[in-house]
Amino acid sequence: MLGIALSLCASIASAPQLNIFAIAVAARPPLALLLSVELLNQAFKRHHGAQPDSAEPRNGGLGLRAQRGTW
């Protein structure tokens, strides 16, 4: 968040003129980056929230040999 704020300040400071249009144009890239990262984060959370917990093996933790039964 600090990086976005610093980027926003640097973009506004480098605007050719300090009017509302120049500030709005200069502020767009950092805000667009923040928005895209937040959208990707929400999609990632939603995707992993819908799947079953993959931390536990499906065969009850018995391993490959017990799952096959032929070893």
Side-chain angles (χ1 to χ4, degrees):
M1 196 66 176
L2 178 64
I4 296 293
L6 290 175
S7 179
L8 182 63
C9 291
S11 293
I12 291 174
S14 67
Q17 299 173 355
L18 288 181
N19 59 27
I20 192 71
F21 183 72
I23 291 173
V25 169
R28 279 184 16 195
L31 295 177
L33 176 64
L34 177 65
L35 178 64
S36 63
V37 168
E38 286 299 320
L39 287 173
L40 285 172
N41 193 19
Q42 290 295 324
F44 182 72
K45 286 180 182 177
R46 191 176 328 122
H47 177 70
H48 283 285
Q51 292 181 353
D53 187 19
S54 61
E56 186 175 327
R58 293 183 181 184
N59 60 1
L62 298 176
L64 184 59
R65 292 183 186 174
Q67 184 181 6
R68 282 192 163 172
T70 59
W71 295 84

